[in-house]
Amino acid sequence: MTAMAHEPMATDTETLLDFFLSLDTPEGFRAELVEGEIVVTPPTDGDHEDYLSIIGRQVTRRSATDMQISGYKGLVLSHAENQPADHVIPDATIAPYALRLFRGAEPWMPSDGVDMVVEVTSSKPRHDRVTKRHAYARAAIPLYLLVDRGKSVVTLFSEPKDADYLTTHSAPFGDRLPLPAPFSFDLETADFV
């Protein structure tokens, strides 16, 4: 009797990740895999993009450290227990320009060197408020800036530890929100109103 070679069976997490990576998402839509859940987000509206533009202008003009911003850059993050690696697409990913992280990066790059990610809430605010916040903290991204349109508040999450951030600072639209180093300026939100 001869022994037969068997290929290893894919785990559920491998199957989910393979399925996610093979998705053919319609143009303009974003598919993300966070904590074992596939979330598909429709194209953004003009107000969403306006908030990002306001933040981007201030970061590039006022940061103490010269920053590079990528809109909708795929990041591979640490994973929740018994789940495949998180694959997220922040509205904005910000890193020191000197690192040139985005040059030559794969479509899904690691988050090493990223100083801040930005999300503007859209059709699934819980995803931005909770699920992605935990994913960014697990990956030890130092700062997470959330523009919460439903609550008219901008919140900065800092000091990642395990699966959350230890510190939060919030400001209602119209007020200033201090950004720590390497940014070291107060984010103006008057134009959010």
Side-chain angles (χ1 to χ4, degrees), residues 76-98:
V76 178
L77 307 177
S78 307
H79 56 85
E81 190 174 335
N82 299 318
Q83 300 296 337
D86 292 327
H87 287 66
V88 299
I89 305 173
D91 291 331
T93 302
I94 305 172
Y97 183 82

Side-chain angles (χ1 to χ4, degrees), residues 29-49:
F29 284 72
R30 289 185 290 165
E32 299 173 293
L33 176 62
V34 186
E35 295 185 353
E37 179 184 356
I38 295 174
V39 178
V40 179
T41 308
T44 59
D45 61 30
D47 288 346
H48 184 279
E49 295 307 298

Side-chain angles (χ1 to χ4, degrees), residues 41-125:
T41 308
T44 59
D45 61 30
D47 288 346
H48 184 279
E49 295 307 298
D50 187 56
Y51 291 122
L52 288 174
S53 175
I54 291 166
I55 292 167
R57 285 183 66 176
Q58 289 184 56
V59 166
T60 56
R61 292 178 177 185
R62 301 179 61 205
S63 286
T65 300
D66 192 16
M67 292 291 177
Q68 187 176 32
I69 302 172
S70 176
Y72 312 113
K73 179 70 192 101
L75 299 177
V76 178
L77 307 177
S78 307
H79 56 85
E81 190 174 335
N82 299 318
Q83 300 296 337
D86 292 327
H87 287 66
V88 299
I89 305 173
D91 291 331
T93 302
I94 305 172
Y97 183 82
L99 297 179
R100 303 290 299 274
L101 286 184
F102 309 118
R103 186 181 190 115
E106 296 291 323
W108 295 104
M109 70 177 228
S111 62
D112 300 338
V114 171
D115 278 329
M116 184 164 69
V117 289
V118 180
E119 297 286 358
V120 177
T121 58
S122 52
S123 59
K124 297 182 182 191

Side-chain angles (χ1 to χ4, degrees), residues 51 121 129 147-154 171-174 189 192-193:
Y51 291 122
T121 58
R129 292 175 185 150
V147 178
D148 195 321
R149 298 193 292 174
K151 296 181 178 181
S152 298
V153 169
V154 60
F173 287 3
T189 68
F192 289 6
V193 179

